[in-house]
Amino acid sequence: MRNFWAYVTNGEFSVGCTGRTVFIYGKDNNELGRFKDITYGYTPMISPDGKIVVVKSGEGRFAVYSLETLSLIKKFRFSKVDGAQDDGFCFSPDSKYLINLERQIDDLHSAISIYDTSDFSLVNRVFIDETIMLSTIEYDEQSDMYFVLGFERGTEGYASKFFVAQLVDLQIVNVTYIPQEERDFYRRYKDLEIMGFTKKAYQWSFLNYSLDELKSMNCSLVELYKRYNS
């Protein structure tokens, strides 16, 4: 197996990313396809229905592949802001939408965008107040809620308050402030998780736990939110 930055699986298909090449494997680890459509593509995500995989590039692009036809469906640029597009994204539970945290205007401005996965047209985009930066988004099935992780900037422009919050109709609600060390850990953990806990990603995570310990943890944003709202 190659030394992938990211390697994710749903049991039926597995997807590995080197940053330049996307590999798709079947159940028996047999290679079904490889694609060179995107650079700096480190974060793949398989849709809940198992029909597509989306790869996000740090250059502000998405590459979308069909797992049914093993072909590129679409490649598009979601932002002209290069080099800062490493924030989170997730599917809706029915796989109909992709929700992406992205930098728009410049790398200091967060936006939340929703794309229709039937054609990846933009459904809605909300620009976040420039004092707020979002890094992570996660859907919780039990509560049927989206949760986000981020920070607020102080008057001098530096991060001053760190939070986990609910996302309702693309609005940040029920903001819960947490210590910086909690935010930093969860940001790094969720980044590593989305990349499939690969050894290569782990080396750059700067987390003070072994890889096996991290794999055994259940560090969901909903649990973080509940812990500071109990």
Side-chain angles (χ1 to χ4, degrees):
M1 188 65 66
R2 291 174 172 80
N3 188 20
F4 290 117
W5 277 104
Y7 187 83
V8 299
T9 184
N10 67 353
E12 184 74 21
F13 296 97
S14 299
V15 181
C17 293
T18 65
R20 181 65 184 87
T21 306
V22 177
F23 293 82
I24 298 177
Y25 298 93
K27 281 185 177 179
D28 300 323
N29 291 323
N30 54 314
E31 184 180 312
L32 302 177
R34 65 174 71 183
F35 306 90
K36 295 181 179 289
D37 304 295
I38 194 168
T39 55
Y40 304 103
Y42 297 114
T43 48
M45 186 174 292
I46 300 173
S47 61
D49 62 11
K51 293 182 178 181
I52 62 173
V53 59
V54 172
V55 181
K56 184 174 182 177
S57 164
E59 289 189 321
R61 292 180 171 86
F62 275 124
V64 185
Y65 299 96
S66 168
L67 293 175
E68 297 176 308
T69 63
L70 299 173
S71 61
L72 176 70
I73 298 175
K74 187 166 185 176
K75 180 174 68 172
F76 67 100
R77 187 162 192 166
F78 59 81
S79 173
K80 294 182 180 179
V81 180
D82 284 342
Q85 304 291 350
D86 58 352
D87 298 312
F89 62 106
C90 69
F91 285 96
S92 62
D94 58 8
S95 299
K96 290 183 178 180
Y97 301 101
L98 181 74
I99 303 97
N100 187 41
L101 302 183
E102 52 197 46
R103 313 291 179 96
Q104 295 286 343
I105 305 174
D106 57 40
D107 61 3
L108 298 178
H109 289 78
S110 280
I112 307 172
S113 296
I114 296 181
Y115 300 93
D116 186 330
T117 58
S118 65
D119 59 4
F120 282 87
S121 59
L122 179 65
V123 176
N124 196 6
R125 174 175 289 149
V126 173
F127 291 89
I128 306 303
D129 185 289
E130 64 181 12
T131 63
I132 296 175
M133 181 62 69
L134 300 178
S135 64
T136 310
I137 182 170
E138 185 173 67
Y139 172 75
D140 175 62
E141 184 176 2
Q142 185 172 0
S143 63
D144 190 29
M145 293 285 298
Y146 294 92
F147 292 84
V148 291
L149 191 68
F151 65 81
E152 297 178 5
R153 293 191 183 91
T155 55
E156 296 182 354
Y158 299 106
S160 61
K161 292 182 178 181
F162 304 84
F163 67 84
V164 59
Q166 295 175 327
L167 186 70
V168 179
D169 296 328
L170 296 187
Q171 299 298 313
I172 301 169
V173 300
N174 299 325
V175 173
T176 299
Y177 294 106
I178 60 176
Q180 179 178 355
E181 56 268 25
E182 288 273 42
R183 181 267 176 186
D184 291 348
F185 171 80
Y186 272 81
R187 167 67 196 267
R188 293 168 182 170
Y189 177 92
K190 302 312 288 188
D191 286 349
L192 182 61
E193 182 182 57
I194 202 174
M195 298 176 80
F197 294 104
T198 64
K199 291 181 179 179
K200 194 167 187 177
Y202 169 70
Q203 292 171 353
W204 290 90
S205 70
F206 303 107
L207 290 167
N208 295 320
Y209 295 88
S210 71
L211 187 54
D212 287 338
E213 287 176 318
L214 291 167
K215 288 179 180 179
S216 69
M217 293 179 181
N218 178 24
C219 297
S220 63
L221 294 190
V222 65
E223 292 302 323
L224 176 65
Y225 178 83
K226 288 179 179 177
R227 179 148 44 92
Y228 282 89
N229 279 281
S230 60

